[in-house]
């Protein structure tokens, strides 16, 4: 195990270039002798798998979806940042780096973030070459827009479906290699354990979700690109199947889990309507460019919004943040909405919503112009709520959207377990305590296309011919564990469904480890979650058997892991005695209710080591800032 | 020629054959109707016209052979497509609200086509055949309007009437569909094709139908 | 409201299937159709019965995972939406709703309402890409593309691969799916070098997978949740005829 960040020496701007030169290479003739396992084929996984195959490695790719094109990367709407500076508005690699590290509230590594900004331009080139239909201007060149409150226009986009188009680009690169036979893709296969041999990652155990078959797969390295863990809250904007299982299985085998309490809450989601709600739907935050957020001044004012006169409305974001107004960053907008609802100003049946009103924009720009910009979002809103946002204000409420935390990785994207690499949302690396809009797609593709293909060779170069047979005892014991766990889940035969327990976990986390946290609530969560875990293992009911297509069994395994993760999140949040980015502690706020960071005590990455039957161990990687000075974010 | 064979056996190749032969048959309909309308001018004019045609007998035979090939390709290919497509569909839906997404004419090409094939066989076995053996008599008008194999026979008249309505139905989808297959429907010519298509699915079948009605049901020959 | 779901149940690809009716109470208009199935499944689990298997994931209409024939139509009664976006306000109290999987020989049933659509991936693997290795691309603005072409390419690229086109086509033809991809690349300069091989290979694979031929009924376009136009089929036909005969 090594817990070194391995950040190269030298000036910030030269680190990556120098590092690429210093990395050991694998002889081109030897590349085909290496097997690499890639788990997850979203943006990061598909781009990595395709790039490995192009280099000549043998790749085994796994997804619990039927096709790589189903990955949840597809749902990203807004866009992807790059420091191209095509609009000539003063952008630069350094500015993108600076905005990202500041936006993350100084809880990310300078070197990683700078590399991300540096690579951002290559991503756009690559995607355009693949035929990704980005928005263009009449002259035929690429269009950019300003996004998420950025002061420059650096966001490339493909209508409201940028994630879809980028994923389909990466998918096309991957499927090209599948056609050539250089990538073997295993659809509907879920990774259920990581296999370690002499402390190094040498393979995985999977379950074929259609037949229930348990398989062993051996490789020289394992790459996890399995996304975020937002579904720990039950209700989130993540897809139904998004889960932490692959990462958590690796964590249980020794990989550190970093900053699990850094979760992002997105302010513009459609509010919960009933207890049967299965997931939440996000609407692009570009809506806040023209929509005005307000609540009634009077508590519990349940008049129709159109009957509430101007003087009875509180446009609280404009009031509190005169210069940024409705465009304050996600974490601030979300927390303020919660405040307003907690104080009794919430609207709608549940009182858990605020208005996002377009009537001014419609008056100013005309209905057609508003429809051209947001038509698809308005349609989506109407489809779900049955209300017409052209006539009545939208109701919005924050929802869990993205998780900045994840498995700890070094500069080479390798975890503390040698041979285990982690990409995209599944790792913790680049967004610190808060991710900026249009940065997730950038990071996933940077990791997959441009970083891991370079850095993995450094590890592999010394592992030639170190393939472990799947007959090795490490594989058989891991397989046994997987089988036993499935049998155990199926044999409980209790009286509560998986979803029922998952909902209860979600509520504990949302109430105590959600948008704002305080020590008493966190302690309560740390008490309640182990009890719920007990309840789960003694009273869950999972129907069917292990030898067939059994979605309830899949869910049960994932929820079992969420029940462990949830507690670690609470512990991490309790440990971090400060407010930063998406992590807001009631105890640490200014008189104006703004976040108060504690740079002396907490400028570190909290990496948690799993302990069987005991609370996790904390390891600290301190963050050193040599290029930027730590300032307080202010959006007044 | 293997490239051509694989083209013909591909799904788009088969469509292309249907479209090409279909459009050629549409052209033939124009010529055919032109001749038929002379029936309105009375026996003398019509009989004279047919007699004139027989003067070009070798040419007529060549045209007939070409027609057989075109018809044959259209029919064989159409049956093949219908069978293959049925197989590709697999189990039927218990409830399928097809009218919400497509027109009846587009879904029934194989059925309307099969009835037209039946009509074609009867038509050839009666009118065409009798034209061949009785041309010396020159009473072509009577063959068509008479009660033996002509429109004077109520059974024949009804079959012809139904066939012409179904032909309109068949062409309602078929004519435009052919251009879609060639990939030109959505170019600038979309409106033009739509207008011309009216000629083929409405006006021409109506022309034929009018003859059936006039001579079959209104006693036009008397 | 109270509704009855008449659902196709089939335990695996090789077993015969049949319809089973399930009355469901306490349905509200705000619920999505899938939330009703969720609720029913919870009841089935507690009653000791097998829950209904169906594919779904993002539940916001973009991943293409869901695809059910609801009340006689692919993705239900509404235009331009996926199954996961159908809400109960589209139905009436007391209604019986027939729920079936996609029916096509190329999409065998896995279980109940879940079908195997990997045939789409095999079609894509035979040419649904532009051959460009990572890192070998020129500056993104080196090749201007007219806004019109880029927008049209986007319209084609919006396909989510759900299979509604195949499911609603009486011939189970995959032409709209394949046409959208061929058309996207045909409209872009980056797609030109491989355009001939792409269309020939993709159409050949499509035929081999057992999809039927297009007879231009237009059902696919009507039922496509992304409203992809038949124009893309026309463009593919042009490309194919050009590549075959040209």
């Amino acid at each position: 195990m090594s817990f070194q960040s391995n950040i190269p020496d030298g000036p910030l701007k030269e680190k990556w270039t120098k590092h690429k030169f210093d990395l050991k290479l694998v002889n081109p003739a030897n590349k085909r002798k290496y097997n690499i396992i890639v788990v997850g084929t979203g943006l990061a996984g598909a781009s990595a798998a395709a790039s490995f195959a192009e280099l000549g490695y043998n790749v085994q790719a796994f997804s619990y979806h039927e096709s790589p094109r189903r990955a949840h990367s597809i749902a990203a709407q807004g866009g992807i940042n790059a420091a191209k500076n095509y609009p000539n508005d003063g952008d630069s690699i350094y500015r993108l780096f600076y905005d990202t590290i500041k936006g993350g509230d100084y809880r990310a590594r300078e070197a990683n973030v700078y590399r991300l900004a540096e690579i951002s331009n290559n991503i756009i080139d690559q995607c355009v070459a693949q035929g990704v239909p980005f928005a263009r201007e009449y002259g035929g060149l690429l269009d950019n827009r300003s996004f998420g409150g950025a002061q420059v226009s650096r966001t490339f986009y493909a209508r409201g479906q940028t994630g879809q188009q980028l994923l389909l680009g990466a998918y096309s690169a991957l499927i090209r290699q599948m056609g050539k036979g250089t990538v073997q893709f295993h659809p509907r296969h879920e990774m259920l354990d990581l296999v370690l041999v002499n402390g190094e990652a040498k393979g995985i155990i999977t379950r074929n979700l259609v037949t229930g078959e348990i398989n062993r797969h051996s490789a020289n390295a394992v790459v996890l690109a399995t996304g975020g863990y937002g579904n720990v809250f039950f209700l989130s904007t993540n897809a139904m199947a998004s889960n932490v299982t692959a990462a958590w299985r690796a964590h249980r085998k020794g990989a550190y889990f970093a900053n699990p309490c850094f979760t992002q809450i997105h302010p513009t989601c459609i509010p919960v309507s009933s207890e049967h709600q299965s997931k939440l739907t996000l609407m692009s935050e570009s809506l806040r460019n023209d929509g005005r957020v307000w609540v009634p001044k009077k508590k519990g004012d349940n008049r129709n919004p159109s009957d509430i006169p101007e003087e009875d409305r509180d446009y609280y974001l404009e009031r509190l943040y005169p210069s940024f107004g409705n465009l304050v960053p996600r974490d601030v907008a979300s927390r303020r909405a919660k405040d307003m609802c907690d104080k009794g100003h919430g609207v709608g049946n549940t009182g858990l919503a605020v208005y996002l009103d377009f009537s001014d924009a419609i008056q100013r720009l005309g209905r057609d112009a508003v429809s051209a910009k947001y038509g698809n979002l308005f349609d989506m809103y109407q489809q779900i709520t049955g209300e017409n946002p052209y006539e009545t204000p939208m109701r919005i409420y924050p929802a869990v959207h993205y998780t900045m935390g994840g498995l700890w990785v070094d500069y080479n994207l390798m975890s503390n377990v040698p041979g285990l690499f982690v990409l995209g949302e599944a790792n913790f690396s680049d967004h610190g305590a808060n991710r900026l809009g249009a940065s997730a797609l950038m990071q996933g593709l940077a990791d997959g296309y441009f970083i891991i293909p370079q850095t993995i060779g450094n590890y592999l170069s010394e592992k030639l011919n170190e393939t472990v047979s799947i007959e090795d005892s490490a594989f058989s014991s891991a397989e046994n564990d997987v089988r036993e766990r499935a049998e155990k889940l199926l044999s409980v035969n209790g009286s509560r469904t998986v979803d029922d327990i998952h909902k209860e976990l979600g509520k504990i986390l949302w109430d105590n480890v959600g948008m704002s946290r305080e020590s008493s609530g966190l302690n309560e969560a740390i008490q309640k979650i182990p009890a719920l875990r007990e309840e789960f293992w003694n009273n869950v009911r999972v129907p069917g058997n292990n030898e067939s297509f059994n979605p309830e069994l899949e869910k049960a395994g994932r929820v079992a892991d969420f029940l462990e993760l949830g507690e670690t999140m609470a512990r991490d949040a309790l440990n971090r005695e400060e407010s930063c980015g998406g992590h807001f502690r009631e105890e640490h706020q200014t008189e104006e209710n703004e976040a108060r960071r504690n740079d002396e005590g907490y400028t570190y990455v909290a990496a948690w080591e799993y302990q069987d039957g005991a609370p996790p161990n904390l390891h600290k990687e301190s963050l050193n800032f040599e290029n930027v000075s730590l300032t307080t974010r202010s959006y007044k | 020629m293997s490239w051509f064979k694989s083209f013909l056996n591909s799904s788009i190749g088969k469509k292309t054959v249907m479209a090409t032969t279909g459009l050629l048959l549409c052209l033939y309909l124009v010529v055919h109707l032109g001749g038929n309308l002379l029936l309105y001018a009375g026996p003398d004019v019509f009989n004279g016209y047919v007699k004139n045609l027989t003067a070009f007998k070798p040419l007529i035979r060549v045209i007939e052979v070409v027609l057989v090939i075109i018809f044959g390709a259209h029919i064989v290919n159409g049956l093949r497509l219908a069978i293959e497509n049925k197989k590709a569909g697999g189990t039927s839906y218990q409830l399928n609200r097809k009218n919400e997404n497509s027109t009846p004419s587009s879904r029934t090409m194989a059925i309307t086509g099969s009835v037209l094939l039946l009509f074609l066989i009867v038509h050839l076995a009666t009118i065409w055949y009798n034209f061949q053996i009785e041309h010396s008599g020159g009473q072509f008008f009577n063959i068509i309007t008479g009660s033996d194999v002509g429109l004077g026979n109520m059974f024949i008249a009804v079959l012809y009437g139904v066939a012409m309505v179904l032909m309109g139905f068949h062409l309602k989808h078929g004519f435009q569909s052919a251009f879609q297959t060639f990939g030109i429907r959505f170019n600038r010519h979309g409106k033009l094709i739509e207008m011309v298509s009216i000629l083929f699915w409405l006006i021409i079948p109506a022309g034929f139908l009018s003859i059936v009605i006039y001579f079959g049901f209104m006693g036009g020959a008397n | 409201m109270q509704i009855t779901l008449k659902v196709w149940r089939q335990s695996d690809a090789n077993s015969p299937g049949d319809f089973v009716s399930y009355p469901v109470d306490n349905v509200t208009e705000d619920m999505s159709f899938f939330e009703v199935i969720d609720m029913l499944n919870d009841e089935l689990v507690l009653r000791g019965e097998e829950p209904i298997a169906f594919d779904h994931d993002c539940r916001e209409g973009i991943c293409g995972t869901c695809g059910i024939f609801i009340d006689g139509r692919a993705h239900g009664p509404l235009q331009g939406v996926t199954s996961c976006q159908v809400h109960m306000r589209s139905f009436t109290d007391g209604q019986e709703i027939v729920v079936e999987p996609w029916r096509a020989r190329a999409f065998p049933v896995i279980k109940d309402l879940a079908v195997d659509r990997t045939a789409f991936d095999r079609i894509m693997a035979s040419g649904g890409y532009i051959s460009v290795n990572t890192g070998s691309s020129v500056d993104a603005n080196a090749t201007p593309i007219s806004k019109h072409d880029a927008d049209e390419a986007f319209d084609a690229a919006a396909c989510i691969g759900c299979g509604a086109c195949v499911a609603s086509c009486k011939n189970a033809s995959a032409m709209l799916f394949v046409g959208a991809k061929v058309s996207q690349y045909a409209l872009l300069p980056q797609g030109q070098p491989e355009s001939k091989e792409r269309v020939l290979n993709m159409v050949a694979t499509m035929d081999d997978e057992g999809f039927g031929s297009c007879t231009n009924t237009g059902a696919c376009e009507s039922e496509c949740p992304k409203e992809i136009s038949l124009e893309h089929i026309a463009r593919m036909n042009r490309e194919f005829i050009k590549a075959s005969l040209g």
Side-chain angles (χ1 to χ4, degrees), chain B residues 11 85 93-94 97 173 177 183, chain C residues 71 100 207 213 215-216 238:
Chain B
S11 54
N85 286 342
Y93 291 102
Q94 169 155 74
R97 301 186 195 276
H173 176 67
S177 173
Chain C
D71 192 35
E100 299 176 74
D207 293 351
S213 301
T215 51
N216 304 330
R238 279 205 297 277

Side-chain angles (χ1 to χ4, degrees), chain A residues 66 88 119 129 186 201 207 232 305 342 359 374 393 400 403-404 411 574 609 632:
Chain A
E66 60 173 346
N88 193 29
I119 288 170
H186 303 263
R207 179 171 179 271
V232 69
D342 289 352
S359 52
Y374 309 113
V400 177
T403 52
M404 282 74 69
Y411 189 73
L574 184 63
E609 180 188 6
T632 303

Side-chain angles (χ1 to χ4, degrees), chain C residues 97-158:
Chain C
I97 305 169
V98 180
V99 187
E100 299 176 74
W102 285 169
R103 304 285 194 191
R105 191 166 55 124
F107 289 166
V109 171
I110 292 174
K111 185 175 184 179
D112 299 337
L113 304 173
V115 299
D116 180 359
R117 285 167 292 190
T118 47
F120 272 5
D121 279 341
R122 291 188 290 275
I123 295 173
M124 292 293 276
S126 68
Y129 49 77
I130 288 171
S131 296
V132 51
N133 283 359
T134 304
S136 55
S137 38
V138 295
D139 184 84
N141 259 349
T143 314
I145 302 173
S146 88
K147 182 171 166 54
H148 176 264
D149 286 348
D151 285 350
E152 218 170 318
F154 181 93
D155 289 340

Side-chain angles (χ1 to χ4, degrees), chain B residues 11 17-18 20 26 35 40 87 89 101 107 116 124 144 147 196 221:
Chain B
S11 54
V17 170
M18 290 309 281
T20 313
C26 283
Y40 284 118
K87 222 163 68 183
N101 60 38
R107 294 194 306 267
L116 287 172
L124 289 178
I144 291 176
S147 60
V196 178

